Amino acid sequence: MENTEIRIDPELDAAATRVAQALGITAAELADIVHELAAEGQHRPAADMLLLALGDVVRRDPARHDLVGAVEVGEILGVSRARVHQLADPETGHRDFPRPRYHLAAGKLWARADIVAFDQRWERRRTGRPPKTR
């Protein structure tokens, strides 16, 4: 039997583990997927193996990958990225705005379903100058 042990940089492993948790799987489940891929003959650098494993998680259960960042949240809600951050602020933002599922160095990630549900119940305030009356 071929040795399928994969050496992964601890910093990369920690980042992959955080992403896996955001997708709803444990680090052990991610490691199992990496080893399955290696056993199937996928021999690539460790970083590529982690990306392949995370991609496999998405293919197995598409609902898990439905995480969105501030730009996508803004597109869903029809607001700017800056407005998303205002809405999401825990102290001054909208009280019903969904909590992020995950915090990355690159920003927060929300579940698309949470944002869509918020959009359906959100009563938007009109912004900008009111229209002139004659």
Side-chain angles (χ1 to χ4, degrees), residues 24 32 103 123 130:
D32 289 345
H103 297 264
E123 292 185 30

Side-chain angles (χ1 to χ4, degrees), residues 32-52:
D32 289 345
I33 294 169
V34 168
H35 289 290
E36 285 174 26
L37 292 170
E40 292 171 2
Q42 298 277 352
H43 297 289
R44 298 179 184 197
D48 291 352
M49 291 298 286
L50 284 172
L51 288 174
L52 286 170

Side-chain angles (χ1 to χ4, degrees), residues 80-129:
S80 69
R81 181 174 50 93
R83 180 69 175 130
V84 169
H85 291 296
Q86 289 174 345
L87 290 167
D89 186 290
E91 293 179 22
T92 60
H94 195 283
R95 71 183 186 293
D96 292 332
F97 196 80
R99 296 180 70 144
R101 294 289 177 104
Y102 202 68
H103 297 264
L104 300 174
K108 298 173 184 174
L109 295 176
W110 291 268
R112 180 181 301 272
D114 293 347
I115 299 301
V116 169
F118 172 78
D119 186 37
Q120 291 171 349
R121 68 179 182 270
W122 183 34
E123 292 185 30
R124 290 173 174 79
R125 282 190 252 155
R126 290 187 153 282
T127 59
R129 186 177 293 189

Side-chain angles (χ1 to χ4, degrees), residues 3 7 9 12 57 63 65 69 84 87 100 111 118 120-121:
N3 182 3
R7 302 247 180 237
D9 176 279
L12 178 63
V57 169
H65 84 287
V84 169
L87 290 167
F118 172 78
Q120 291 171 349
R121 68 179 182 270

